[in-house]
C-alpha cells in the first residue's frame, strides 16, 4: 500500500505509522541460495530445452541480431515455463523466476526486449521489459529522442512540436511490486507480457503500434525474493501468509516509496536515471495493494488535497486513465472499484508522484490484498470504510458498486491488475497525440509562467557544510534539473524558468499544507505522509531565490558533473593534520582512517576552543581526504589536551517487529563508515553489553515494540514463529542501564526514548507530549498532529552533541516526543542540548503543525550522564529517511561524545 492512510487492518503490510508494522528484512539471501527452483526442479524439461535453444541462438548471432527472423516463434506461457500455475493459490514465482521468464519471452518474441537497469542493493539484476511492435522496437532510439525533446521543447516552434507529436509514440511505464508483500503485480507482469507478446488481437496490436511499454516487474527485487522465500518456508503452517520479522528491503522496507525526491537507494536511482535521463515516459502507472477489508481496487482520480504547483493537465490526463480503468473493470463484472480515496494529489514522495512536478502523468492503483498468495475470506460485516473518500462502507458516487464480501485470492488481485494494465495501455494509445502534446505544453508553461530572471542561488562556499551544498546541486542534476554554475564559480544557479521548474520550486521552497475541509465544520484532511520536503532546510544548505540582473545568468554554464570542494593535506611533510568537527564528511574521514589503523585525536583549538579532529600522518590520509572532499590543515605537533579516539563499536538495536528507522539508521551510519552491528533481543537480554559495544542506538520505535515485542494497539495481532517473538523485556532494559553505568553511550531516537524514560532508568525527564493523540485517520481529530514537518530548534553548540551546529536549525519532527526535564540529584548530570522556541508561532518552518503550542519551551534533545556512561535522547528525527543531512552531525557527535 502506499502508506499510512491506507484503509484497514492488515498485519503483514502495514497501515499504521510504517515504522512498526512494515515488513522488512534481515535474512540476506546468500548468493547461490536461490539457484534452484526453476532450472533444477520446477521447469519442465521441454521448456528448459527450448529456452536453452533460444539462448544458444542469441549466443551465436549476438543480441543485436536476435530480431524477428532469429527469434523462435513459440513464446511459453508463464505457467508452462515455470512448471506451476501462476496465480494459483499458494503459488508464487520469485523475482529470479520472473526475470528468467521475461528473458525467455524476449528471446522468443520480436515484440519484447530486456533492458538491465542496474543492480539492486543485494546485487540482483534489476530488469525492465520493453514491449511494442517490431517496428517501434527497431526505432526505439528515435522514439526516446522524440520523448526527450517533447519533455524539453525549448527553442522549438509549435509546428516542430506538432511534427514530433505526429511521429512519436507514447512511452508508457508500468512499475510493479515496489512494496514486496504487495506481490500480485509481480506475478501479473508475466501474464501481461505474455499477452502483449503473443496476441493477434487487432486492437491490442493497434495499441502496440502507437505505444512503447516499459514494464518493470518489481521495483524491489531483493524484497520480492525475501517475501517469496518467507512465504514458501511457512506455507502449510499456522504462519502461512503472515508477517515477516524483518524489513523487505536491506535498508528501507516500505520507505522505498518515500525515497523519490532524495534518491538515496540504488533501486530508486536506477529507475530515476531510466525515467528522467533515458526514456522520458509520458505516463507512469505504479501498481500496489492495500488492506483487505475495504474496496477491492483504488483507481484515479486522487483525493484532496492538491499540490499548488502541479500543472492541472497532469490530473486531467490521470483522470482519463482512471475513467477508462473504472469502465473496463465494471464491464468485466468487477465490483468494489473506488476513486477519490485516501491517496492525495499533494505529496511528492512516491514513484510517479515526483514526476507530476516534471510534467509527467502518473497514477497509482491499489488492489485489496490476500494473505500473500493465500486466499482470505472476508465477511460482509467486516467490510469497512473509515478513510478519506469512504467514511462508511456503502455505495456512493466514487464507489458505485461495492464488493459484497467473500473469498479474495491472488488470482483476483492479478485479474483486476490485468484489466487496469490493459485499460492503461488503451488510454495512452487512444490519447497518444493529446498526451504527448500535453507534456510539451506543460513544459512550455513551466518555462513561460516563471520569471526568466528568477533563480535559486546556492552559494558554494558560504555554507556550514559546503559538501552538502554540492550534494544538493548534484541531487537536482540527478533529477534531470538544469543546474548552472555562476561565471565566478561562487554559486550554483537553478533557473525557475525551465521545464522542471515547478519541481525546483517545490523542492527548494517551503511547504504550507492546504487546509481542506471536506464538510462544513469538519476537521481538515490530514496529510498523507510527511508535510515537508524542503531540501535546502533538510540538508542544512543555504539557498535563496534571487532575481538576477538581465544577462547575469548568461555567463553561467550548465553543470555536467558536480564540482566537489577539493580535499587533501595542506602540507604532507607534517606529522599531523586537522579539520574542524563541522560537516558530515569529516566523520567519514575519522572512520575511514580508524579502519586503516591511523591515529585520530579530538582536540579543541584556538581562542574559541573549536572542536577539531587531528589525524596522524598515514599513507592513506591524503587519498581519503581527497575522496571525501575534506581539506586538512597541517601541524608539526599534536595540540595540547588532545584525546585519542578509539574505533567505536556501535550496536544498533533491531526488533522483530521491523522498524524502518533501524534500516535508515544503518544506511546512514554505513554511508559514513561507522562500524555498526545489529543487536537483537537475545543479545540485549544476555547483558554484558560493554564487552561488545561502546555505543548502543535504539532506533525510532515504540516502547511496546522494543520491550515487549508487541504493537501498542489493542486487539488481534498475528503471531510470528517463536524465535521471533518478544522484546528485550525488563531484563533487557536493566542490561541497557547497566551498559550505561559501566561507561557505554545509549542513544535513543524519537519514540525509543520512552525506553530510557521508564522507571528502570529513573531519570529526571518525561515526555511532554505523552497522551497526545498522534494522528487521526483521514479527517483530523487529533489534538496534536505534526506528521513530518520542519520545526525551528535552538542548539547549544558548546555541548559536545551540538558541536559544529548553528545555533538555530530546522529539525524534522514526526511524532509526539518532546522532553520535560527537571533538575537532578548530584549523581546525574542532565543537559538540554536543543529546545523549541518560546512561542508556537515561531515553531513551524515548513509543513504542517497542529497543536504546536504544546512544544513551546520544551526540550528537543537532552542528555544525561549516569555512572560512567551517557544517554542522549533525540526527540526530533535527526537522520529521518537519510534526508536530514543538516542534522546528521548531531547523531555523529553523540556517537563520538
Ligand atoms: Zn504499496
Amino acid at each position: 500500500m502506499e502508506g499510512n492512510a491506507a484503509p484497514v487492518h492488515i498485519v503483514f503490510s502495514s497501515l499504521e505509522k510504517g515504522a512498526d508494522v512494515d515488513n522488512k528484512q534481515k535474512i540476506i539471501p546468500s548468493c547461490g541460495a536461490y539457484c534452484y527452483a526453476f532450472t533444477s526442479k520446477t521447469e519442465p524439461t521441454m521448456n528448459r530445452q527450448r529456452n536453452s535453444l533460444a539462448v544458444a541462438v542469441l549466443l551465436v548471432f549476438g543480441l543485436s541480431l536476435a530480431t524477428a527472423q532469429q527469434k523462435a516463434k513459440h513464446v511459453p506461457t508463464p505457467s508452462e515455463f515455470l512448471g506451476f500455475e501462476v496465480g494459483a493459490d499458494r503459488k508464487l514465482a520469485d523475482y529470479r523466476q520472473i526475470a528468467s521468464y521475461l528473458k525467455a519471452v524476449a528471446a522468443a518474441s520480436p515484440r519484447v526486449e530486456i533492458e538491465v537497469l542496474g543492480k539492486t542493493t543485494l546485487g540482483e539484476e534489476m530488469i525492465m521489459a520493453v514491449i511494442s511492435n517490431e517496428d517501434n522496437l527497431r526505432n526505439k532510439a528515435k522514439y526516446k529522442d522524440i520523448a526527450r525533446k517533447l519533455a524539453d521543447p525549448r527553442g522549438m516552434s509549435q509546428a516542430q512540436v506538432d511534427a514530433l507529436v505526429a511521429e512519436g509514440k507514447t512511452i508508457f511505464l508500468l512499475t510493479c511490486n515496489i512494496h514486496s508483500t504487495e506481490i500480485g503485480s509481480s506475478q501479473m507482469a508475466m501474464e501481461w507480457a505474455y499477452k502483449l507478446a503473443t496476441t493477434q488481437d487487432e486492437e491490442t496490436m493497434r495499441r502496440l503500434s502507437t505505444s512503447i511499454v516499459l514494464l518493470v516487474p518489481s521495483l524491489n527485487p531483493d524484497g520480492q525474493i525475501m517475501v517469496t522465500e518467507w512465504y514458501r518456508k511457512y506455507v502449510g503452517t499456522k504462519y502461512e501468509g503472515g508477517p515477516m520479522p524483518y524489513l523487505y528491503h536491506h535498508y528501507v522496507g516500505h520507505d522505498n516509496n518515500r525515497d523519490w525526491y532524495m534518491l538515496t537507494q540504488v533501486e530508486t536511482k536506477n529507475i530515476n536515471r531510466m525515467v528522467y535521463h533515458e526514456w522520458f515516459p509520458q505516463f507512469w502507472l505504479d501498481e500496489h495493494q492495500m488492506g483487505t477489508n475495504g474496496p477491492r481496487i483504488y483507481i484515479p482520480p486522487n483525493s484532496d488535497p492538491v499540490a499548488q504547483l502541479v500543472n492541472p493537465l497532469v490530473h486531467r490526463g490521470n483522470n482519463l486513465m482512471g475513467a477508462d480503468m473504472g469502465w473496463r473493470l465494471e464491464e468485466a463484472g468487477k465490483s468494489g472499484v473506488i476513486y477519490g480515496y485516501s491517496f492525495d494529489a499533494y505529496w511528492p514522495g512516491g514513484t510517479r508522484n515526483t514526476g507530476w512536478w516534471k510534467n509527467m502523468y502518473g497514477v497509482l492503483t491499489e488492489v485489496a490484498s490476500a494473505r500473500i498468495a493465500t486466499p482470505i475470506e472476508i465477511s460482509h460485516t467486516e467490510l469497512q470504510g473509515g478513510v478519506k473518500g469512504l467514511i462508511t462502507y456503502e455505495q456512493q458516487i466514487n464507489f458505485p458498486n461495492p464488493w459484497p464480501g467473500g473469498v479474495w485470492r491472488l488470482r483476483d488481485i492479478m485479474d483486476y491488475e490485468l484489466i487496469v494494465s490493459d485499460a492503461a495501455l488503451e488510454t495512452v494509445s487512444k490519447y497518444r497525440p493529446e498526451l504527448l502534446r500535453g507534456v510539451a505544453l506543460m513544459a512550455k508553461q513551466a518555462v513561460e509562467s516563471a520569471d526568466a530572471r528568477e533563480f535559486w542561488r546556492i552559494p558554494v562556499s558560504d555554507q556550514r557544510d559546503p559538501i552538502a551544498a554540492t550534494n544538493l546541486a548534484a541531487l537536482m542534476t540527478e533529477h534531470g534539473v538544469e543546474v548552472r554554475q555562476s561565471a565566478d564559480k561562487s554559486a550554483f544557479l537553478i533557473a525557475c524558468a525551465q521545464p522542471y521548474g515547478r519541481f525546483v520550486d517545490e523542492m527548494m521552497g517551503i511547504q504550507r499544507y492546504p487546509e481542506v475541509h471536506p464538510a462544513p465544520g469538519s476537521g481538515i484532511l490530514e496529510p498523507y505522509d510527511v508535510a515537508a520536503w524542503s531540501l535546502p532546510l533538510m540538508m542544512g544548505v543555504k539557498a535563496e531565490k534571487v532575481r538576477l540582473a538581465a544577462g547575469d545568468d548568461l555567463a553561467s554554464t550548465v553543470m555536467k558533473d558536480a564540482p566537489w570542494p577539493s580535499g587533501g593535506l595542506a602540507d604532507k611533510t607534517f606529522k599531523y593534520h586537522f579539520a574542524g568537527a563541522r560537516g558530515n564528511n569529516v566523520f567519514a574521514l575519522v572512520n575511514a582512517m580508524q579502519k586503516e589503523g591511523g591515529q585520530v585525536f579530538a582536540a579543541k583549538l584556538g581562542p574559541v576552543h573549536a572542536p577539531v579532529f587531528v589525524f596522524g600522518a598515514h599513507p592513506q590520509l591524503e587519498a581519503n581526504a581527497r575522496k571525501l572532499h575534506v581539506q586538512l590543515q597541517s601541524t608539526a605537533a599534536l595540540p595540547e589536551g588532545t584525546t585519542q579516539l578509539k574505533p567505536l563499536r556501535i550496536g544498533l538495536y533491531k526488533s522483530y517487529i521491523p522498524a524502518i528507522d533501524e534500516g535508515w539508521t544503518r544506511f546512514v551510519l554505513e554511508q559514513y563508515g561507522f562500524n555498526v552491528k545489529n543487536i537483537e533481543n537475545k543479545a540485549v537480554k544476555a547483558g554484558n553489553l560493554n564487552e561488545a559495544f561502546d555505543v548502543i542506538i535504539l532506533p525510532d520505535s515504540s516502547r511496546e515494540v522494543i520491550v515487549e515485542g508487541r504493537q501498542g494497539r489493542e486487539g488481534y495481532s498475528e503471531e510470528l514463529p517463536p524465535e521471533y517473538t518478544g522484546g528485550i523485556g525488563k531484563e533487557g532494559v536493566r542490561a541497557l542501564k547497566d551498559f550505561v553505568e559501566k561507561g557505554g553511550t545509549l542513544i535513543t531516537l524519537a519514540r525509543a526514548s520512552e525506553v530510557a524514560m521508564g522507571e528502570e532508568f529513573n531519570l529526571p525527564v518525561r515526555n511532554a507530549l505523552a497522551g497526545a493523540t498522534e494522528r487521526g485517520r483521514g479527517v483530523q481529530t487529533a489534538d496534536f498532529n505534526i506528521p513530518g514537518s520542519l520545526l525551528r530548534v535552538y542548539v547549544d553548540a558548546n555541548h559536545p552533541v551540538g558541536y559544529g551546529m548553528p545555533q538555530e536549525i530546522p529539525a524534522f519532527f514526526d511524532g509526539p516526543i518532546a522532553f520535560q526535564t527537571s533538575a537532578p540529584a548530584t549523581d546525574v548530570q542532565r543537559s538540554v542540548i536543543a529546545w523549541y522556541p518560546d512561542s508556537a508561532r515561531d515553531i513551524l518552518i515548513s509543513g504542517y503543525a497542529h497543536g504546536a503550542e504544546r512544544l513551546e519551551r520544551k526540550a528537543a534533545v537532552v542528555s544525561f550522564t549516569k555512572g560512567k556512561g551517557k544517554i542522549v535522547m533525540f526527540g526530533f528525527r535527526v537522520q529521518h529517511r537519510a534526508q536530514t543531512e543538516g542534522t546528521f552531525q548531531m547523531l555523529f557527535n553523540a556517537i563520538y561524545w
Side-chain angles (χ1 to χ4, degrees):
M1 71 207 51
E2 265 292 282
N4 304 333
V8 271
H9 181 95
I10 174 171
V11 176
F12 52 85
S13 168
S14 136
L15 298 184
E16 290 248 75
K17 226 57 193 153
D20 286 338
V21 216
D22 286 320
N23 296 310
K24 99 2 42 331
Q25 84 108 135
K26 133 192 175 198
I27 293 176
I28 298 168
S30 58
C31 276
Y34 292 90
C35 301
Y36 61 109
F38 114 95
T39 46
S40 59
K41 292 196 187 128
T42 51
E43 188 198 355
T45 310
M46 276 187 56
N47 293 321
R48 187 159 71 241
Q49 286 170 346
R50 189 153 45 227
N51 193 31
S52 312
L53 185 64
V55 170
V57 167
L58 289 179
L59 289 177
V60 172
F61 292 97
L63 273 172
S64 61
L65 291 181
T67 53
Q69 297 80 357
Q70 284 84 26
K71 283 185 177 183
K73 289 285 181 266
H74 179 77
V75 178
T77 67
S79 299
E80 204 181 350
F81 184 82
L82 295 175
F84 62 85
E85 191 190 338
V86 169
D89 292 351
R90 299 180 177 81
K91 294 287 184 201
L92 285 177
D94 63 43
Y95 182 76
R96 291 172 186 157
Q97 292 175 305
I98 295 167
S100 300
Y101 174 70
L102 292 175
K103 286 177 183 175
V105 174
S109 164
R111 296 183 204 161
V112 181
E113 292 179 3
I114 298 294
E115 287 192 4
V116 176
L117 302 173
K119 293 280 185 183
T120 66
T121 304
L122 297 181
E124 294 294 323
E125 198 177 62
M126 201 169 175
I127 64 155
M128 171 171 91
V130 182
I131 307 175
S132 192
N133 72 15
E134 286 180 60
D135 245 15
N136 293 346
L137 288 186
R138 226 182 344 261
N139 292 301
K140 67 179 180 179
K142 176 174 87 177
Y143 295 122
K144 276 183 184 179
D145 194 50
I146 292 174
R148 182 179 56 76
K149 287 177 174 153
L150 290 172
D152 183 0
R154 284 177 294 182
M156 280 196 273
S157 67
Q158 190 56 46
Q160 288 171 309
V161 169
D162 290 342
L164 290 177
V165 168
E167 199 184 358
K169 306 293 172 190
T170 323
I171 314 292
F172 169 53
L173 172 61
L174 196 166
T175 53
C176 302
N177 184 236
I178 187 168
H179 294 142
S180 306
T181 48
E182 301 163 19
I183 199 97
S185 57
S186 68
Q187 315 292 301
M188 181 281 300
M190 294 186 285
E191 293 187 343
W192 200 53
Y194 174 78
K195 176 183 171 175
L196 298 182
T198 58
T199 186
Q200 296 305 320
D201 167 58
E202 230 174 78
E203 170 56 19
T204 308
M205 293 302 288
R206 190 194 63 73
R207 293 174 192 172
L208 289 177
S209 73
T210 55
S211 315
I212 298 174
V213 175
L214 309 177
L215 175 64
V216 179
S218 176
L219 286 171
N220 178 12
D222 297 343
Q224 204 278 355
I225 291 169
M226 292 173 197
V227 166
T228 309
E229 285 291 286
W230 181 263
Y231 182 80
R232 286 172 179 164
K233 183 172 177 188
Y234 289 100
V235 76
T237 75
K238 69 174 182 168
Y239 307 112
E240 175 176 318
M244 293 200 305
Y246 41 84
L247 296 169
Y248 54 56
H249 178 274
H250 184 62
Y251 293 116
V252 304
H254 200 77
D255 274 0
N256 57 1
N257 207 22
R258 305 291 179 267
D259 193 40
W260 294 84
Y261 44 81
M262 198 50 103
L263 308 177
T264 67
Q265 301 300 305
V266 293
E267 293 84 0
T268 325
K269 287 172 173 288
N270 290 339
I271 297 291
N272 178 79
R273 185 175 56 242
M274 180 274 289
V275 170
Y276 302 111
H277 294 273
E278 292 169 27
W279 274 100
F280 299 91
Q282 290 91 20
F283 220 125
W284 186 340
L285 164 62
D286 192 32
E287 299 197 9
H288 289 246
Q289 288 170 221
M290 54 186 177
T292 56
N293 296 347
R296 294 301 92 188
I297 186 170
Y298 159 80
I299 57 172
N302 289 70
S303 67
D304 276 312
V306 178
Q308 196 188 352
L309 293 175
V310 171
N311 194 306
L313 213 50
V314 166
H315 305 305
R316 298 300 177 191
N318 292 352
N319 298 352
L320 279 176
M321 185 175 280
D324 196 52
M325 286 174 169
W327 175 267
R328 295 303 178 197
L329 285 161
E330 297 293 347
E331 200 179 52
K334 303 297 183 192
S335 61
V337 181
I338 195 165
Y339 68 83
Y341 171 78
S342 190
F343 309 99
D344 70 31
Y346 181 74
W347 168 74
T351 52
R352 79 287 149 202
N353 313 44
T354 313
W356 293 340
W357 282 261
K358 301 181 187 177
N359 315 312
M360 184 190 296
Y361 313 96
V363 305
L364 166 77
T365 57
E366 298 262 359
V367 182
S369 293
R371 293 175 54 81
I372 310 292
T374 300
I376 190 167
E377 190 179 354
I378 309 285
S379 159
H380 71 285
T381 60
E382 291 164 350
L383 292 165
Q384 292 169 22
V387 176
K388 176 166 64 177
L390 188 73
I391 301 304
T392 52
Y393 189 93
E394 60 192 6
Q395 188 182 36
Q396 49 184 50
I397 189 61
N398 64 338
F399 189 50
N401 181 16
W403 184 65
V407 175
W408 188 251
R409 45 176 33 107
L410 177 62
R411 185 69 257 170
D412 295 312
I413 297 168
M414 293 166 63
D415 286 346
Y416 274 59
E417 288 173 339
L418 284 167
I419 293 168
V420 295
S421 300
D422 275 336
L425 180 56
E426 179 181 21
T427 306
V428 300
S429 168
K430 196 181 273 179
Y431 293 100
R432 187 197 61 81
E434 289 83 358
L435 293 172
L436 266 57
R437 200 178 303 114
V439 165
L441 177 63
M442 289 189 278
K444 190 162 170 272
Q445 289 176 346
V447 174
E448 289 173 359
S449 64
D451 180 337
R453 281 154 61 188
E454 268 190 351
F455 290 77
W456 284 94
R457 182 178 184 280
I458 308 171
V460 168
S461 55
D462 178 24
Q463 299 280 359
R464 184 184 75 88
D465 183 356
I467 295 163
T470 311
N471 271 340
L472 174 55
L475 171 61
M476 295 307 277
T477 305
E478 193 174 358
H479 271 296
V481 167
E482 206 170 81
V483 179
R484 311 178 80 89
Q485 277 186 281
S486 64
D488 63 0
K489 310 279 188 229
S490 68
F492 301 107
L493 296 172
I494 307 178
C496 300
Q498 62 172 306
Y500 293 175
R502 296 185 181 194
F503 176 77
V504 171
D505 275 338
E506 186 71 34
M507 291 296 142
M508 298 294 290
I510 60 164
Q511 281 73 49
R512 281 287 169 263
Y513 186 70
E515 304 209 346
V516 177
H517 296 260
S522 73
I524 66 157
L525 296 177
E526 289 213 317
Y528 175 77
D529 185 75
V530 300
W533 35 85
S534 314
L535 295 180
L537 296 179
M538 290 200 293
M539 297 173 77
V541 173
K542 262 190 228 172
E544 56 174 349
K545 204 171 190 175
V546 296
R547 196 155 192 281
L548 297 183
D552 257 16
D553 62 303
L554 295 179
S556 65
T557 49
V558 175
M559 178 176 107
K560 287 271 180 288
D561 295 304
W564 295 97
S566 57
L569 313 183
D571 185 336
K572 54 180 110 170
T573 64
F574 281 67
K575 220 175 149 194
Y576 297 99
H577 309 272
F578 63 94
R582 199 167 71 157
N584 299 328
N585 273 26
V586 72
F587 289 88
L589 185 60
V590 169
N591 293 330
M593 291 318 298
Q594 290 194 329
K595 246 170 225 165
E596 301 276 3
Q599 291 182 312
V600 186
F601 307 86
K604 285 190 161 194
L605 279 192
V608 292
H609 301 288
V612 298
F613 289 116
V614 184
F615 300 86
H618 187 280
Q620 289 306 311
L621 181 59
E622 185 174 24
N624 280 332
R626 203 178 296 138
K627 190 173 82 187
L628 293 165
H629 322 296
V630 177
Q631 181 61 44
L632 299 174
Q633 310 297 310
S634 302
T635 176
L638 205 53
E640 300 258 317
T642 51
T643 322
Q644 182 162 0
L645 299 176
K646 55 171 188 167
L648 293 176
R649 303 160 302 166
I650 302 167
L652 177 64
Y653 173 69
K654 186 171 189 175
S655 54
Y656 295 133
I657 295 175
I660 299 182
D661 194 51
E662 179 278 317
W664 282 118
T665 309
R666 186 160 34 86
F667 175 74
V668 169
L669 294 179
E670 286 181 10
Q671 291 293 300
Y672 287 91
F674 286 91
N675 172 21
V676 57
K677 285 205 177 75
N678 277 127
I679 175 169
E680 299 186 358
N681 294 331
K682 207 168 137 190
V684 178
K685 284 182 181 177
N688 275 332
L689 295 165
N690 306 72
E691 275 179 22
F693 302 105
D694 305 296
V695 177
I696 290 177
I697 301 176
L698 302 182
D700 179 38
S701 200
S702 71
R703 181 184 162 94
E704 288 82 5
V705 165
I706 297 169
V707 178
E708 295 161 46
R710 66 171 176 85
Q711 300 288 354
R713 70 181 110 92
E714 293 171 5
Y716 180 68
S717 71
E718 275 188 59
E719 276 177 50
L720 284 161
E723 61 269 37
Y724 301 113
T725 56
I728 63 172
K730 293 266 181 191
E731 67 261 53
V733 181
R734 280 193 296 273
L736 290 172
K737 185 184 169 201
D738 184 55
F739 167 75
V740 171
E741 286 173 345
K742 289 181 175 154
T745 298
L746 176 66
I747 299 173
T748 61
L749 304 181
R751 288 176 298 163
S753 303
E754 295 202 326
V755 173
M757 285 192 280
E759 57 185 341
E760 301 88 349
F761 277 81
N762 188 30
L763 295 170
V765 59
R766 62 180 179 82
N767 181 9
L769 294 171
T773 319
E774 194 167 347
R775 62 192 290 180
R777 273 291 168 70
V779 175
Q780 168 210 306
T781 52
D783 58 356
F784 178 87
N785 185 12
I786 303 182
S789 294
L790 289 156
L791 307 185
R792 181 170 286 109
V793 164
Y794 301 112
V795 179
D796 176 3
N798 293 315
H799 189 284
V801 176
Y803 281 168
M805 298 299 294
Q807 285 178 341
E808 183 186 317
I809 58 169
F812 199 88
F813 184 99
D814 75 348
I817 292 276
F819 306 108
Q820 180 69 62
T821 55
S822 54
T826 49
D827 65 325
V828 172
Q829 285 178 356
R830 63 89 179 77
S831 303
V832 173
I833 301 161
W835 59 95
Y836 297 100
D838 288 354
S839 164
R841 65 170 192 276
D842 297 330
I843 290 178
L844 180 67
I845 302 175
S846 180
Y848 172 67
H850 173 67
E853 56 285 351
R854 298 188 60 171
L855 286 172
E856 287 172 355
R857 231 160 26 88
K858 295 294 179 284
V861 181
V862 294
S863 72
F864 302 88
T865 57
K866 196 167 169 66
K868 295 180 189 159
K870 307 176 186 82
I871 300 163
V872 181
M873 302 181 187
F874 288 96
F876 62 79
R877 304 299 313 281
V878 68
Q879 44 33 304
H880 184 252
R881 294 176 180 166
Q883 295 171 357
T884 55
E885 203 174 321
T887 53
F888 288 175
Q889 186 175 347
M890 294 186 79
L891 176 62
F892 301 166
N893 283 340
I895 290 170
Y896 270 108
W897 179 17

